[in-house]
Amino acid sequence: MRTGNLFIVSGPSGAGKGTLVEALLDRVPDIWVSVSATTRAPRPGEQEGVSYFFLTPHEFERRAAGGEFLESATVHGSRYGTLRGPVERRIRAGMQVVLEIDPQGARQVLEQMPEAILIFVKTRSIEDLKRRLRARGTETEAQVELRLRNAERELGLVSGYKHVVINDDVERAIAELVGIIDSYAERDS
C-alpha cells in the first residue's frame, strides 16, 4: 500500500487543469479527485456526490461554522468548498487525493494541511492562454478578458508552488503529473 497524500492542482482558467486531472483517473490506480460542495442548484445531468455535494445555504454555513471545510469561497453568488472529512478519510486509506482549486483555496488548505503538495499548471505563455480561452468559445469576450486578468494575478503566485507543470503537450504534461504523484506516494514496506 502506498502512503496517502494530498495534491492541490491550481492554475489559470484555460491552462488545462481539468483535462490533466481527468487523465490521472486512468493512470493512477489509487487516486481520488475531491468532490466540492456547493450551494448552487444542480445543472442537468449533475449527480449528488459525483459532480458536487449540493447543500442548502443554511447547511453550508452550519458546516463552515463547525470547521468542516478545508477551504471555501463565494463565487458568482454561490458558496463552494472542500469538505475535510472525505479528504482526510481517503488520505488515511493510502489514497492520492487531488483537489483542483484556485490559488486562494490552495492557501486556505495549506494553512490547515501544510503537508499538501502544490502543483501549478500553466501554458507556455499568456498568448497561448489567450488562444485557448478564445478557442473554447464558451465565454464572451468580456469573460475572456476577466479570466485573463485573473490569470495574470494567479501567475504571480506560482513561486509559492512546489511544482510547475507547463501544459504545452498534453501527454507529456500528464506523464509529468503522474511522475510527481508517484514520487510522493512511495510504497510502504
Side-chain angles (χ1 to χ4, degrees):
M1 181 163 139
R2 301 199 312 172
T3 305
N5 293 286
L6 176 60
F7 298 91
I8 298 174
V9 178
S10 298
S13 179
K17 301 176 301 293
T19 299
L20 299 182
V21 168
E22 187 176 319
L24 292 175
L25 295 170
D26 294 330
R27 306 201 188 179
V28 180
D30 57 349
I31 198 160
W32 181 71
V33 177
S34 178
V35 177
S36 294
T38 184
T39 59
R40 77 159 172 74
R43 294 179 182 139
E46 290 183 331
Q47 297 176 340
E48 171 68 25
V50 176
S51 308
Y52 287 96
F53 294 110
F54 295 99
L55 305 177
T56 66
H58 175 75
E59 177 70 5
F60 194 101
E61 294 310 319
R62 184 188 68 72
R63 288 177 157 214
E68 292 185 41
F69 286 99
L70 287 172
E71 59 87 27
S72 66
T74 301
V75 181
H76 306 301
S78 296
R79 297 293 309 260
Y80 291 84
T82 303
L83 289 164
R84 172 190 309 277
V87 169
E88 290 179 343
R89 279 192 299 277
R90 284 172 176 86
I91 291 170
R92 281 193 306 272
M95 297 192 80
Q96 309 315 309
V97 175
V98 174
L99 306 182
E100 183 189 330
I101 56 177
D102 69 11
Q104 173 189 330
R107 282 193 308 274
Q108 289 180 41
V109 174
L110 205 54
E111 287 173 9
Q112 297 182 60
M113 299 183 79
E115 69 279 9
I117 299 123
L118 275 65
I119 304 168
F120 195 90
V121 175
K122 66 180 202 157
T123 55
R124 175 91 30 216
S125 68
I126 197 75
E127 290 74 29
D128 288 342
L129 188 62
K130 287 178 188 176
R131 274 194 295 280
R132 286 186 189 192
L133 286 171
R134 289 192 171 109
R136 289 196 312 196
T138 56
E139 292 97 9
T140 66
E141 186 59 29
Q143 290 170 322
V144 168
E145 289 301 321
L146 175 62
R147 290 181 187 270
L148 288 170
R149 283 193 302 277
N150 289 340
E152 288 176 6
R153 181 182 44 77
E154 290 172 345
L155 287 166
L157 303 172
V158 74
S159 64
Y161 283 72
K162 178 120 178 150
H163 301 277
V164 177
V165 174
I166 297 174
N167 188 12
D168 57 354
D169 176 281
V170 174
E171 286 304 315
R172 186 204 49 74
I174 292 167
E176 185 176 347
L177 201 49
V178 169
I180 291 167
I181 290 170
D182 283 347
S183 73
Y184 286 93
E186 308 204 347
R187 299 194 183 278
D188 294 337
S189 6

